[in-house]
């Protein structure tokens, strides 16, 4: 355990890895553009770590320094300062690259230096994750049938078994690389995608569909997956983004399980409406408090099993976003995991203590792992 001269616990130096765009916003004092960064700063007033933010362009490995940004509470402004390498890395940035170095290269260098990190992995590959989960007899029954997509033969095989299928980029996030394919009632096929709008593309043959898939998901390893008969609200599909975190004692907690309702005809729930677990099931689905509580316990046990299995397979995690779904027969399904959940649904539905907890616990966990030998 690190201690100062007077015998008190030494504050860990925690570095939050964010995008260059966010760093620019901080330098320009654009406080309204950084809600989540502001929430981390607010939480740190309770956690009391030495906290700073940096991007891929901030690091000078030759001088062993990082030009980070921290918030000065007395001056109420963001300040740039040179920091040593951190005790703990809190990785909140997606894949990034500059002319000189990539985010992955920075992570590798930090690993080689023995810098502790909130999560043992910064991403999950959907196909690798599926193959690992298939090895567990308690979890594999909750997986939709999934294959590594190779081409037209996979489309034929899956559409012979299921009315609708999904194609996904193995490292996509936030629904940006998700397509649905189904046979059209009037003949042929239709492919749906969602970026800024719901797009529907029709094709007369599976070869045309294959070309569309490879155009949408170019450069990606792709999976093809059965569509689950999900519960719906007004014919819009519903799933759940559970936010799980470790607390300051290293124990797994479930911060929230918000429901996500997709837009009409959308293949994804991302960018739709969000509800807290209780309000969705009680106010929208009409369940009683007792029924909702029992269902939530079922969700929680399932989520804890997933978290434990992920740690067994990959190593420790301080927080995870886990996507799960409930079908119309009441069965739970595992959809995917996110090592860097954007917490969008949580921020839309949580208030007060729950919102504070979501940003405080990673910092408390940083203190916990800093104190471990």
């Amino acid at each position: 355990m690190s201690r100062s001269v007077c015998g008190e616990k030494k504050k860990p130096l925690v570095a939050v890895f964010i995008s260059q765009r966010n760093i620019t916003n901080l330098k320009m004092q654009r406080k309204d553009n950084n809600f989540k960064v502001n929430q981390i700063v607010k939480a740190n007033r309770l956690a009391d770590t030495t906290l700073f933010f940096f991007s891929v362009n901030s690091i000078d490995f030759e001088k062993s320094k990082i030009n980070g940004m921290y918030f000065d509470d007395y001056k109420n402004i963001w300040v740039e300062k040179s920091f040593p390498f951190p005790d703990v890395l809190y990785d909140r940035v997606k894949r990034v690259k500059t002319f000189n170095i990539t985010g992955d290269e920075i992570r590798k260098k930090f690993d080689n230096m023995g810098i502790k990190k909130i999560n043992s992995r910064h991403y999950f590959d959907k196909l690798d994750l599926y193959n690992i989960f298939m090895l567990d007899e308690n979890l594999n029954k909750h997986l939709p049938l999934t294959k590594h997509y190779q081409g037209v033969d996979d489309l034929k095989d899956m559409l012979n078994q299921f009315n609708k299928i999904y194609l996904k980029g193995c490292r996509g996030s936030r629904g940006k690389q998700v397509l649905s394919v189904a046979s059209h009632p009037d003949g042929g096929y239709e492919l749906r995608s969602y970026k800024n709008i719901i797009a529907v593309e029709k094709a007369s043959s599976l070869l045309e569909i294959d070309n569309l898939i490879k155009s949408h998901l170019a450069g990606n390893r792709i999976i093809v997956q059965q569509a689950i008969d999900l519960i719906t609200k007004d014919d819009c599909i519903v799933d759940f983004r559970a936010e799980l975190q470790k607390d300051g004692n290293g124990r797994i907690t479930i911060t929230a399980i918000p429901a996500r309702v997709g837009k009409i005809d959308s293949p994804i729930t991302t960018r739709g409406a969000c509800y807290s677990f209780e309000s969705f099931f009680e106010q929208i689905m009409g369940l009683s408090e007792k029924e909702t509580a029992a269902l939530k316990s079922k969700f929680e046990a399932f989520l804890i099993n997933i978290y434990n299995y992920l740690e067994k397979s990959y190593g420790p995690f301080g927080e995870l976003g886990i996507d799960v779904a409930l079908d119309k027969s009441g069965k739970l399904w595992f959809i995917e995991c996110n090592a860097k959940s954007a917490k969008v649904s949580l921020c839309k539905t949580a208030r007060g203590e729950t919102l504070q907890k979501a940003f405080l616990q990673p910092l408390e966990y940083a203190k916990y792992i800093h104190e471990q030998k």
Side-chain angles (χ1 to χ4, degrees):
M1 184 181 294
S2 298
R3 291 188 178 274
S4 65
V5 174
C6 59
E8 296 179 352
K9 290 182 182 179
K10 179 185 175 183
K11 290 184 183 181
L13 182 60
V14 179
V16 186
F17 193 8
I18 59 176
S19 70
Q20 182 57 42
R21 183 174 66 177
N22 281 335
I23 288 292
T24 299
N25 285 335
L26 301 186
K27 290 181 178 180
M28 298 294 291
Q29 307 298 327
R30 295 171 183 160
K31 298 174 187 176
D32 293 340
N33 292 2
N34 291 282
F35 174 79
K36 293 167 193 172
V37 168
N38 293 338
Q39 290 296 315
I40 295 172
V41 169
K42 185 178 178 181
N44 194 54
R45 292 177 186 133
L46 295 174
D48 196 28
T49 72
T50 301
L51 180 76
F52 71 93
F53 298 79
F54 75 101
S55 76
V56 72
N57 294 328
S58 306
I59 307 175
D60 187 333
F61 280 104
E62 289 184 2
K63 296 181 180 178
S64 299
K65 295 289 184 182
I66 302 176
N67 291 320
M69 300 293 297
Y70 76 97
F71 190 74
D72 189 316
D73 282 321
Y74 295 103
K75 296 179 180 178
N76 198 36
I77 59 171
W78 286 97
V79 178
E80 187 170 11
K81 178 184 173 182
S82 179
F83 290 90
F85 288 133
D87 297 307
V88 180
L89 172 67
Y90 186 18
D91 191 345
R92 296 295 304 159
V93 73
K94 302 294 184 182
R95 283 181 285 179
V96 291
K97 184 175 181 179
T98 68
F99 292 111
N100 300 315
I101 194 165
T102 66
D104 284 346
E105 287 169 338
I106 288 172
R107 294 178 184 106
K108 186 175 181 179
K109 284 178 179 288
F110 279 8
D111 284 345
N112 291 338
M113 294 164 62
I115 293 173
K116 295 183 178 181
K117 51 191 178 181
I118 298 295
N119 281 348
S120 55
R121 288 181 68 88
H122 69 276
Y123 76 95
F124 293 104
D125 178 287
K126 293 180 177 64
L127 183 59
D128 292 345
L129 201 59
Y130 175 81
N131 290 333
I132 287 170
F133 271 53
M134 280 299 294
L135 300 175
D136 185 87
E137 61 182 13
N138 293 317
L139 292 174
N140 60 22
K141 66 189 74 171
H142 298 280
L143 302 177
L145 179 62
T146 301
K147 295 182 178 181
H148 183 195
Y149 181 71
Q150 303 288 345
V152 173
D153 287 344
D154 292 317
L155 291 175
K156 288 179 182 177
D157 179 50
M158 293 293 279
L159 286 170
N160 281 336
Q161 298 180 69
F162 309 104
N163 295 327
K164 181 179 176 182
I165 58 176
Y166 279 92
L167 288 300
K168 302 176 181 179
C170 284
R171 286 190 63 176
S173 63
R174 301 196 67 192
K176 293 178 182 178
Q177 294 181 12
V178 177
L179 313 171
S180 69
V181 174
S183 300
H184 196 274
D186 298 328
Y189 306 91
E190 67 175 29
L191 180 148
R192 291 178 182 267
S193 60
Y194 184 89
K195 290 185 180 177
N196 297 319
I197 60 170
I198 299 164
V200 181
E201 299 169 87
K202 295 184 179 179
S204 59
S205 70
L206 289 179
L207 181 59
E208 289 181 57
I209 290 291
D210 177 60
N211 289 332
L212 288 172
I213 290 166
K214 290 173 180 174
S215 174
H216 279 282
L217 303 177
N220 291 279
R221 194 163 68 141
I222 304 167
I223 59 170
V224 57
Q225 202 168 58
Q226 77 173 92
I228 303 163
D229 189 19
L230 302 177
I231 60 171
T232 59
K233 174 187 179 293
D234 300 327
D235 294 323
C236 298
I237 58 174
V238 177
D239 70 7
F240 302 83
R241 163 58 64 86
E243 302 286 353
L244 284 78
Q245 300 172 314
K246 295 273 187 71
D247 64 14
N249 295 306
R251 296 174 299 206
I252 302 170
T253 67
I254 300 176
T255 304
I257 316 174
R260 306 186 298 188
V261 181
K263 295 183 178 181
I264 190 74
D265 294 328
S266 174
I268 60 174
T269 59
T270 310
R271 301 176 180 84
C274 302
Y275 304 85
S276 70
F277 189 92
E278 287 78 10
S279 63
F280 176 76
F281 281 107
E282 292 173 18
Q283 298 172 22
I284 293 174
M285 302 302 286
L287 271 61
S288 67
E289 286 187 23
K290 185 176 180 180
E291 289 170 327
T292 299
L295 184 58
K296 191 172 187 180
S297 294
K298 179 180 175 181
F299 268 75
E300 289 174 340
F302 183 49
L303 290 164
I304 294 295
N305 283 342
I306 292 171
Y307 202 115
N308 283 328
Y309 188 68
L310 283 166
E311 291 202 308
K312 178 182 175 182
S313 303
Y314 291 107
F317 290 93
E319 65 175 1
L320 289 170
I322 303 177
D323 293 348
V324 295
L326 186 70
D327 71 17
K328 291 174 182 175
S329 73
K331 179 180 177 178
L332 283 169
W333 295 82
F334 169 76
I335 306 300
E336 65 180 49
C337 277
N338 301 269
K340 284 178 282 196
S341 173
K343 300 184 176 75
V344 173
S345 300
L346 182 141
C347 290
K348 287 182 178 179
T349 58
R351 297 292 182 271
E353 184 178 338
T354 300
L355 186 63
Q356 180 189 75
K357 181 181 178 183
F359 293 94
L360 174 61
Q361 292 210 122
L363 300 177
E364 293 289 355
Y365 180 67
K367 290 159 60 177
Y368 170 78
I369 61 175
H370 174 61
E371 292 170 9
Q372 304 304 304
K373 297 292 186 182

